Amino acid sequence: MDEPMVPIFTRGLTPPLPKASRSVALGRRVGEVLRELPGDERVALVASGVFSLDVGSPRIGTVDREWTAHVLDRILNAQIDALAHEATTQRMLAAGSVAGEMINWLAVLGAMGDRVRSVSPTYAQVQEGHAFLFWDLEAV
Amino acid sequence: MTAYRVNKALHRISQDDAFREAVRADPAAALGTLDLEPGERRLLLEGDVASLYRYGVHPFLLFHLARFELCGLNWGQYTRRIKAIPIDEA
């Protein structure tokens, strides 16, 4: 890929996690900055994080499919603030010891705002607690 | 932050290759060089991950013991021991 890439990687692994609303706010600010850049170069935002995964706790090997499906539904319907409201530290960590990684998705969703032109076919593995998506945005 | 010393020890095990191999070669001697309470050191040497989890050690760091097969642990042994804790207590 030739476009410049902006990875968003925030610390979602261990409490204290930032509030989900702060992750959205971070993304919104990143989006503003990128749109204010001179020129018409395309920029790719990249982030990674599970919705449900446990490493090392008694929940190891389990996946919260209900939460995963719900998060995916919120994302695909661009219900970002509603998701941020629901994604408390307690709720995310109930889906697994590293499920706080989801906040990286919230930051990217905040950066995109309402400029989504299209979203890729969904590659989701609800039974595994994760998904893969990409979006194409309107030009500024 | 009672588990801080143990978390820090596990983080070092995950990042410091030479220290990790020292723990593998002689766990008691290697862990003896760290600032740990005697009880904390004993739980690590026994691979008592359930007690360490209850003590407040972060599971992601704790799992390094299974990942690197230290203190008598491997994936299967770790999972059996940690799952002795009921999920509703997790």
Side-chain angles (χ1 to χ4, degrees):
Chain A
M1 200 160 76
D2 294 329
E3 289 88 354
M5 284 204 277
V6 178
I8 293 192
F9 181 76
T10 59
R11 197 177 60 86
L13 280 181
T14 52
L17 304 182
K19 283 181 73 173
S21 58
R22 289 195 70 198
S23 297
V24 176
L26 167 71
R28 287 188 172 134
R29 185 68 190 120
V30 169
E32 284 171 15
V33 170
L34 292 177
R35 283 189 284 275
E36 286 165 6
L37 290 176
D40 56 1
E41 195 166 29
R42 281 167 58 91
V43 175
L45 275 170
V46 185
S48 172
V50 296
F51 305 148
S52 175
L53 177 69
D54 194 285
V55 178
S57 99
R59 287 194 180 84
I60 193 169
T62 66
V63 170
D64 188 337
R65 297 180 190 185
E66 188 182 343
W67 176 243
T68 300
H70 178 73
V71 169
L72 188 61
D73 187 64
R74 288 286 199 211
I75 289 173
L76 290 173
N77 290 296
Q79 295 165 333
I80 310 313
D81 291 317
L83 178 57
H85 181 71
E86 294 160 349
T88 60
T89 293
Q90 187 181 19
R91 181 62 191 93
M92 286 192 287
L93 294 188
S97 61
V98 298
E101 287 184 338
M102 197 197 87
I103 59 174
N104 292 312
W105 285 73
L106 289 170
V108 167
L109 293 161
M112 294 193 298
D114 56 5
R115 309 195 68 86
V116 174
R117 185 161 56 192
S118 66
V119 59
S120 67
T122 307
Y123 171 73
Q125 292 190 314
V126 171
Q127 73 279 10
E128 302 289 347
H130 61 237
F132 178 85
L133 289 172
F134 62 93
W135 291 266
D136 192 25
L137 304 191
E138 292 170 11
V140 177
Chain B
M1 300 296 279
T2 56
Y4 179 77
R5 288 177 298 261
V6 180
N7 282 331
K8 192 171 178 182
L10 291 166
H11 183 261
R12 180 158 177 210
I13 285 171
S14 76
Q15 300 295 313
D16 182 338
D17 294 352
F19 182 70
R20 182 166 61 246
E21 291 316 307
V23 172
R24 190 185 307 285
D26 189 341
L31 294 178
T33 66
L34 300 183
D35 174 27
L36 291 167
E37 299 284 337
E40 296 169 342
R41 193 173 293 119
R42 181 176 52 77
L43 292 177
L44 282 168
L45 290 171
E46 291 173 356
D48 188 348
V49 292
S51 294
L52 288 164
Y53 178 81
R54 283 184 165 130
Y55 186 59
V57 176
H58 193 275
F60 188 83
L61 293 168
L62 199 51
F63 193 73
H64 289 314
L65 294 177
R67 177 184 168 204
F68 295 113
E69 302 195 342
L70 299 172
C71 301
L73 294 166
N74 56 30
W75 183 292
Q77 181 72 289
Y78 182 99
T79 302
R80 276 191 296 279
R81 289 187 181 181
I82 203 75
K83 280 189 175 293
I85 297 176
I87 279 189
D88 57 14
E89 188 192 316

